[in-house]
Amino acid sequence: LAAVERAIELNGQAVEFNKRALALGRLAAHDAAAVQRELAATQPVRSIEPAQTLDALVERRMTYLTAYQDAAYAERYRTLVHKVRDAERERSRGLTGLAEAAARYYFKLLAYKDEYEVARLYSNGGFLKKIEATFEGDYSLRFHLAPPLLTRPDPHTGRVSKREYGPWMMSAFRVLARLKGLRGSALDVFGHTAERRLDRELIAEYEATVDGLLGQLNVDNHVVAVELLCLPEYIRGFGHVRAEHLAKVRARQKELLVSLQSGVSRKAAA
């Protein structure tokens, strides 16, 4: 118990709350009814985060994309989101959600986690601060990675296994992070892999989808358009896991495009 409580203290996040949760969990294992009485006597306190405006959402993501790539990349993001916002106001007056969907999921596609981004996140200082705040004494870092240029998929399963790399990877991350300007260029050695080509294809497909639906947007098909722009939410994971999710997303995308073009709402289509 002392070791667990010490780990909570070292983590430094909501220490008293987490200690109380631990104590209640131990008590529940012994006397669940006592925990129920305790909770019933406690008035719930809710902390509600203020509603976030679209502009604030866009600005925060632009800051991230500037660090991810550069200012021009961030401006590309803002241009598309504002185009969606203007079309939504003009063609679907009184309805909202489409511009926010674009703000969230166009960003997700643009900020795909490639080798340069992994290197940046490991080497920008934040990772080491978390490690230092969590562990004490002497420790050594080991990274489990599957670099596309050094790892081959299993010939039978098609799945890629990660390999272990030592502390020297931190130096490699710092160097690689500085090369992010090569992302997507002819000199991008990682950009020729199937995974990275797919990342760029998904961005282009999303931009084409936005251009296609804005001309057809109206009050009746607004809900279909929102779901269409939210589809990247379900593209998750890497390798074969991502491929499985993407197949489902593209199947749903076809259904929504048919619904959009026929001018019916999602409810009617269902």
Side-chain angles (χ1 to χ4, degrees):
L1 176 61
V4 175
E5 290 181 336
R6 180 56 178 156
I8 291 173
E9 292 170 356
L10 289 173
N11 189 48
Q13 301 296 318
V15 173
E16 292 306 317
F17 177 87
N18 285 321
K19 280 187 174 181
R20 179 173 171 78
L22 174 62
L24 285 172
R26 297 178 71 233
L27 178 58
H30 174 69
D31 187 351
V35 174
Q36 291 300 325
R37 290 193 298 271
E38 173 73 13
L39 294 177
T42 304
Q43 292 294 325
V45 179
R46 295 185 178 182
S47 177
I48 301 176
E49 185 178 346
Q52 184 175 207
T53 66
L54 177 65
D55 287 341
L57 187 69
V58 170
E59 288 302 318
R60 191 167 73 251
R61 280 159 172 72
M62 285 189 67
T63 299
Y64 188 98
L65 290 172
T66 300
Y68 176 90
Q69 183 69 17
D70 53 34
Y73 200 66
E75 186 59 36
R76 173 182 174 184
Y77 164 75
R78 177 161 58 180
T79 297
L80 182 137
V81 174
H82 283 186
K83 180 166 65 174
V84 174
R85 178 201 62 188
D86 294 343
E88 185 175 36
R89 289 174 177 174
E90 179 182 348
R91 303 177 69 91
S92 302
R93 293 185 179 181
L95 299 177
T96 60
L98 189 66
E100 182 177 343
R104 293 184 183 279
Y105 298 111
Y106 184 45
F107 167 80
K108 179 182 178 181
L109 294 177
L110 286 173
Y112 57 90
K113 192 170 286 185
D114 61 0
E115 292 74 16
Y116 304 107
E117 180 63 355
V118 169
R120 185 183 75 86
L121 294 175
Y122 271 123
S123 63
N124 65 2
F127 169 72
L128 288 180
K129 286 182 180 178
K130 290 181 179 179
I131 292 295
E132 291 167 359
T134 305
F135 300 98
E136 294 180 326
D138 294 330
Y139 56 82
S140 179
L141 296 175
R142 293 290 186 274
F143 300 91
H144 295 267
L145 307 167
L149 300 182
L150 302 177
T151 311
R152 294 290 179 268
D154 185 285
H156 302 293
T157 65
R159 300 185 179 188
V160 175
S161 298
K162 293 182 178 181
R163 296 171 56 186
E164 182 180 295
Y165 297 86
W168 62 269
M169 279 301 300
M170 285 302 298
S171 297
F173 286 145
R174 294 186 186 96
V175 173
L176 187 56
R178 297 191 189 101
L179 299 177
K180 66 179 183 178
L182 299 178
R183 179 186 284 121
S185 72
L187 298 178
D188 181 3
V189 295
F190 305 106
H192 302 292
T193 65
E195 189 88 9
R196 297 298 156 250
R197 289 199 302 270
L198 177 59
D199 288 327
R200 296 193 297 272
E201 288 172 8
L202 290 174
I203 292 172
E205 286 178 11
Y206 196 85
E207 292 168 343
T209 297
V210 168
D211 288 338
L213 74 83
L214 292 185
Q216 307 173 64
L217 183 65
N218 56 51
V219 173
D220 293 328
N221 62 25
H222 180 271
V223 67
V224 177
V226 171
E227 183 179 348
L228 191 59
L229 293 196
C230 287
L231 286 179
E233 164 68 18
Y234 305 102
I235 305 174
R236 300 169 181 171
F238 298 91
H240 68 283
V241 175
R242 188 189 195 195
E244 292 169 2
H245 287 158
L246 182 57
K248 295 177 182 178
V249 165
R250 283 185 164 155
R252 181 57 179 159
Q253 183 182 42
K254 290 181 180 179
E255 295 174 357
L256 292 171
L257 287 173
V258 170
S259 178
L260 185 76
Q261 292 164 3
S262 65
V264 299
S265 68
R266 183 174 69 174
K267 181 177 180 181

